[in-house]
Amino acid sequence: MNQTREIPWQSILKNWKQKPRSIVYSRYFPYLPGRIAYYLNIESMKLRKERVEWLLSLIVNHDMQEIDEKFYELLPNENQFDSSSDDSTNHPYDVDWSIYDSLQPTVKAGV
């Protein structure tokens, strides 16, 4: 009963890649290290699938605990926010200031 087994992360990640919605409901999700669980628990299924693919590429050479410990070193640079771009679709919390400025009431010169 109280025996530990190694979790077959590679086969689990392959299944999660096929069904990214099932990740947070999987019985293995609670066993993920903190950073990785937080990284995979996002709304966008496209991003979730890309992140699972990234983990699959790393799990070949690293174990899950090592990926968690070196998470920020292994994180791909192309997924980080590029502040040089004006495209508001790059970051989910980017503000379109033109919409915000349009809410400002206009001041009439004669009043």
Side-chain angles (χ1 to χ4, degrees):
M1 284 273 238
N2 291 324
Q3 297 176 351
T4 59
R5 292 189 308 171
E6 188 172 329
I7 299 174
W9 286 114
Q10 191 167 10
S11 64
I12 293 166
L13 289 170
K14 285 179 183 177
N15 289 333
W16 286 354
K17 181 181 168 188
Q18 298 299 316
K19 297 181 179 181
R21 289 186 200 278
S22 69
I23 293 174
V24 294
Y25 304 109
S26 170
R27 68 180 184 166
Y28 297 106
F29 187 75
Y31 299 109
L32 281 172
R35 289 184 187 122
I36 297 171
Y38 185 76
Y39 187 65
L40 291 178
N41 193 7
I42 57 170
E43 293 294 321
S44 171
M45 291 304 128
K46 180 182 175 199
L47 268 178
R48 193 182 284 186
K49 191 172 182 178
E50 288 174 7
R51 290 176 178 188
V52 170
E53 289 174 1
W54 171 73
L55 279 171
L56 266 170
S57 69
L58 291 176
I59 204 72
V60 174
N61 298 323
H62 308 282
D63 66 348
M64 195 59 79
Q65 193 62 37
E66 185 181 358
I67 293 171
D68 186 56
E69 290 169 2
K70 297 180 179 180
F71 184 77
Y72 295 108
E73 298 168 19
L74 298 171
L75 195 64
N77 289 335
E78 63 267 12
N79 287 345
Q80 294 175 354
F81 177 62
D82 182 17
S83 60
S84 65
S85 176
D86 281 339
D87 188 10
S88 63
T89 60
N90 281 344
H91 194 274
Y93 301 115
D94 198 18
V95 177
D96 184 0
W97 290 108
S98 63
I99 295 173
Y100 179 78
D101 290 340
S102 69
L103 298 174
Q104 174 98 15
T106 57
V107 180
K108 295 182 182 178
V111 178

